[in-house]
Amino acid sequence: MNHMPGISVRTKERVFAAARELRYRPSTFGRGLVKPGQPTLGLIIDDLTNPYYPELASAVIGQAARYRWNVVLAETVHIQDKHQLIIDLSRQTDALLGYFSIDPEQLTDELAVTPFVQLDTAPPAPTGSVALDFRAAMDDLVEHLVARGIQHPALLDVTKPDATSARGQRFVDGMRRHGRHVAVTRIEESSMDAGVKGGRAVLSACPETDGIVAFNDVVACGVLKMLQLDGIAVPDRIRVAGYDGLTLGTFVTPQLTTIEINMRAVAETAVDLALGMYAGDLPMSGPECHRTVTHRLVVREST
Amino acid sequence: MNHMPGISVRTKERVFAAARELRYRPSTFGRGLVKPGQPTLGLIIDDLTNPYYPELASAVIGQAARYRWNVVLAETVHIQDKHQLIIDLSRQTDALLGYFSIDPEQLTDELAVTPFVQLDTAPPAPTGSVALDFRAAMDDLVEHLVARGIQHPALLDVTKPDATSARGQRFVDGMRRHGRHVAVTRIEESSMDAGVKGGRAVLSACPETDGIVAFNDVVACGVLKMLQLDGIAVPDRIRVAGYDGLTLGTFVTPQLTTIEINMRAVAETAVDLALGMYAGDLPMSGPECHRTVTHRLVVREST
DNA sequence: TTGTATGCGTTATCAA
DNA sequence: TTGATAACGCATACAA
């Protein structure tokens, strides 16, 4: 069936006829045993419906394709047992990358030899990891908003009650250095609808608000929508900024100022880490397989 | 290593130590040969950066997950030789689904036994296929726009020069039945920026235009942006409609009227076809493995 | 508690 | 031009 030289046409046809008859398909496993094919990368994300993840996934798939790696994409939103997903996927792929977390205790002997690269995690991870450093960009945003004359900044954060996200805390601290107090409103869900409601809550808590920084671009789009619905001018009356740098931010009017993450850099860094660990050039954990990618302030129309 | 009963702790530890030492990982192929794991579905799309595909991919991955199938996602935008991609991927997966085309001549004996499901293809495909029937929904859109008093409709189509898309032709024909002539403008690229430019072209070609139907939601968002930039009221002065029913259409202001495709239905239909073909319940081609999913008009604010 | 043999499906080599 | 056979890495049943 593999078109080897020296097979008579008659025989070949006879073989193919039998194959069709039996619905025969060569086994990936049998074949892979003899001649190894392309390795496979497992990419774990939350939900492609959240506009953040397609941009990440596209960048990762593109980078993986450069090395001829295949990518199995898994959405945790469909999965109940996330730890089991990691186990299953680690058995079926050659390296695992994305948004997931592994407790050091859960890191059994079996998993200890699998190349893992966790995204956007705090440095002390028992695996490879790529940290996202927003600090300078957030400081730039603070400077930018202050220069624009913001007096009453607000933060629309997505966290559990009484917690503040790291990025949000950076914003609060930065504004405090400029003598501005940030009014913090918290919502639990990251969605546009939540942004609409959250935006309303921000204004009813503090009507003189003249600047809103949202947890991310999706929420910021909700804020923009709410302001448009209520006839509040952006950026004249209230300035709005997001976080992530999604393409989505250029679709809305006014276009969204945002703290952009360089998805290509993240993907390149993470894939290179995973492939390096797979190839044995890097250990499975430790400082050698930790990288940092920095954010960048992108000023558009909404501020 | 598989935690079989009756292994002494000392031996087990000795084995794991050696495994760590050698960076040993069990071979997927060797293991798969003995005990078959989960099958894998290959999903071929153009580009996750185009908001249409994440919604499709998410639905397909979700449906596949219900049957515990894994999904390998491939973006053709990164690939030069699309036919080679199909061959490679068909070797490494158990069924192939998505946006691709197979010439009947290219359908060699080897490929003839692979379950293929092509999306949005004209019925006569040599594989499984899911057709998208927009006709009734497009007729509904025509009625809707006429009822709203449209006199000078325009179509912003994405096609090669001098061709008209099937959906666009349906719109033109429908309007003609109501005595309206549709001014057709063609652009070659489906993107928001192209929509901005195309929208301008529409208005300069026919300034009295009072309704624009775009090839899809992304282009329609570009039209909306252009109208907003130029201070033209939507829907009061010009009504705008899109096609696809993307979530994106709810992010923009005004929210976009659109011809919605039921992604969940498409995904369920396509995955069920692919799995049926894989299981042998369905042939690899012919009317038994052809399905149709219908569109639906969703009226929002832009009309 | 540990070692050994078998078979999974494929490719490649070698003898016929 | 064709048939037979080893080897790939693993899980398992069985012998020691």
Side-chain angles (χ1 to χ4, degrees):
Chain A
M1 293 194 69
N2 296 347
H3 309 293
M4 280 178 59
I7 304 290
S8 75
V9 178
R10 210 182 67 84
T11 304
K12 188 185 282 193
E13 181 44 50
R14 203 152 44 97
V15 169
F16 274 116
R20 269 193 303 274
E21 172 82 17
L22 299 168
R23 306 182 99 261
Y24 165 82
R25 294 207 64 206
S27 148
T28 313
F29 298 123
R31 177 176 280 161
L33 216 43
V34 177
K35 36 175 52 182
Q38 303 311 323
T40 299
L41 176 69
L43 176 58
I44 298 183
I45 62 176
D46 180 41
D47 177 10
L48 276 180
T49 283
N50 177 338
Y52 175 81
Y53 292 105
E55 301 203 15
L56 170 70
S58 184
V60 168
I61 290 173
Q63 180 69 4
R66 297 183 54 186
Y67 298 102
R68 310 214 52 193
W69 278 52
N70 287 120
V71 175
V72 171
L73 187 56
E75 290 182 273
T76 52
V77 72
H78 299 124
I79 311 289
Q80 59 292 11
D81 186 347
K82 326 240 163 170
H83 184 58
Q84 191 58 45
L85 169 72
I86 293 176
I87 295 194
D88 291 346
L89 216 50
S90 73
R91 289 213 178 114
Q92 292 173 9
T93 61
D94 300 290
L96 231 50
L97 186 162
Y99 283 83
F100 57 91
S101 59
I102 298 183
D103 296 356
E105 314 143 26
Q106 292 179 328
L107 204 64
T108 60
D109 302 274
E110 181 182 354
L111 294 179
V113 289
T114 303
F116 287 112
V117 177
Q118 292 180 257
L119 257 35
D120 196 11
T121 184
T127 64
S129 57
V130 176
L132 309 181
D133 185 353
F134 53 78
R135 291 175 299 176
M138 185 59 91
D139 293 347
D140 288 346
L141 176 61
V142 168
E143 301 294 332
H144 166 74
L145 290 177
V146 168
R148 288 280 202 265
I150 291 274
Q151 294 299 331
H152 302 285
L155 170 68
L156 182 54
D157 209 5
V158 178
T159 53
K160 307 221 160 60
D162 289 334
T164 300
S165 63
R167 64 187 77 164
Q169 192 58 52
R170 185 87 184 179
F171 178 65
V172 170
D173 293 344
M175 277 294 174
R176 180 180 299 137
R177 279 199 305 276
H178 285 86
R180 270 78 164 179
H181 171 75
V182 176
V184 179
T185 301
R186 296 190 177 84
I187 53 181
E188 296 202 3
E189 192 202 22
S190 166
S191 71
M192 200 205 50
D193 285 338
V196 171
K197 285 179 200 152
R200 288 237 163 73
V202 167
L203 292 192
S204 68
C206 179
E208 66 267 33
T209 296
D210 56 0
I212 302 178
V213 171
F215 179 77
N216 61 25
D217 287 350
V218 170
V219 171
C221 283
V223 172
L224 281 181
K225 168 170 284 293
M226 168 251 141
L227 293 172
Q228 187 125 19
L229 290 174
D230 291 6
I232 300 174
V234 177
D236 297 341
R237 164 75 180 83
I238 296 186
R239 299 174 196 276
V240 177
Y243 182 104
D244 279 342
L246 303 186
T247 307
L248 172 65
T250 68
F251 278 63
V252 293
T253 310
Q255 295 192 23
L256 191 62
T257 290
T258 186
I259 291 179
E260 180 187 73
I261 186 174
N262 186 339
M263 286 292 186
R264 237 188 89 183
V266 171
E268 286 176 6
T269 305
V271 170
D272 288 356
L273 268 183
L275 269 58
M277 292 163 78
Y278 172 79
D281 301 334
L282 293 171
M284 291 308 177
S285 64
E288 290 172 78
C289 49
H290 175 70
R291 300 276 187 283
T292 298
V293 174
T294 58
H295 287 252
R296 185 173 70 96
L297 174 65
V298 175
V299 176
R300 292 199 281 244
E301 302 161 355
S302 67
T303 55
Chain B
M1 293 194 70
N2 297 346
H3 308 291
M4 279 178 60
I7 304 290
S8 74
V9 179
R10 210 182 68 84
T11 303
K12 188 185 280 191
E13 181 43 50
R14 203 152 45 96
V15 169
F16 275 117
R20 270 195 302 274
E21 172 85 15
L22 300 168
R23 306 181 98 261
Y24 166 82
R25 294 206 65 207
S27 150
T28 314
F29 299 122
R31 176 177 282 159
L33 217 42
V34 177
K35 38 172 52 180
Q38 303 311 321
T40 299
L41 176 70
L43 176 58
I44 298 182
I45 63 176
D46 182 39
D47 177 11
L48 276 180
T49 284
N50 178 338
Y52 175 81
Y53 292 104
E55 301 203 15
L56 171 70
S58 185
V60 168
I61 290 174
Q63 180 68 5
R66 296 183 54 186
Y67 298 101
R68 308 215 52 193
W69 277 53
N70 286 119
V71 175
V72 171
L73 186 57
E75 292 183 89
T76 53
V77 72
H78 299 123
I79 312 288
Q80 58 293 11
D81 186 346
K82 326 240 164 170
H83 184 59
Q84 190 58 45
L85 170 71
I86 293 176
I87 295 193
D88 291 346
L89 216 50
S90 73
R91 289 213 178 113
Q92 294 175 6
T93 61
D94 301 291
L96 232 49
L97 186 162
Y99 283 83
F100 57 90
S101 60
I102 299 182
D103 296 357
E105 314 143 27
Q106 292 179 330
L107 205 64
T108 60
D109 302 273
E110 181 182 353
L111 294 180
V113 288
T114 303
F116 286 112
V117 177
Q118 291 180 258
L119 256 37
D120 195 12
T121 186
T127 63
S129 57
V130 177
L132 309 182
D133 185 353
F134 52 78
R135 292 175 298 179
M138 185 59 91
D139 293 348
D140 288 346
L141 176 60
V142 168
E143 301 294 333
H144 166 74
L145 289 176
V146 168
R148 288 281 201 265
I150 293 274
Q151 294 298 332
H152 302 285
L155 170 68
L156 181 53
D157 209 4
V158 177
T159 54
K160 308 223 161 56
D162 290 335
T164 301
S165 63
R167 66 187 77 165
Q169 192 59 52
R170 186 86 184 181
F171 177 65
V172 170
D173 293 345
M175 276 296 175
R176 180 181 298 136
R177 278 199 305 278
H178 286 86
R180 269 80 164 179
H181 170 75
V182 176
V184 179
T185 300
R186 295 187 178 87
I187 53 181
E188 297 201 5
E189 191 201 22
S190 166
S191 70
M192 200 205 51
D193 286 339
V196 171
K197 286 179 199 151
R200 288 238 163 72
V202 167
L203 291 193
S204 69
C206 179
E208 67 268 32
T209 297
D210 57 0
I212 302 178
V213 171
F215 180 77
N216 60 26
D217 287 348
V218 170
V219 172
C221 283
V223 172
L224 281 182
K225 169 171 283 293
M226 169 253 140
L227 293 172
Q228 186 126 17
L229 289 175
D230 292 7
I232 299 174
V234 178
D236 297 341
R237 163 76 180 81
I238 297 187
R239 297 174 197 277
V240 177
Y243 181 102
D244 279 341
L246 303 186
T247 307
L248 173 64
T250 67
F251 277 62
V252 294
T253 311
Q255 293 193 24
L256 191 62
T257 290
T258 187
I259 291 178
E260 181 187 73
I261 186 175
N262 186 340
M263 285 292 185
R264 239 189 86 182
V266 171
E268 285 176 5
T269 306
V271 169
D272 287 356
L273 269 182
L275 269 57
M277 293 163 78
Y278 172 79
D281 301 334
L282 293 171
M284 291 304 176
S285 63
E288 290 171 79
C289 49
H290 176 70
R291 300 277 187 282
T292 298
V293 175
T294 58
H295 287 252
R296 185 172 70 97
L297 174 66
V298 174
V299 176
R300 293 200 279 245
E301 303 161 355
S302 68
T303 56

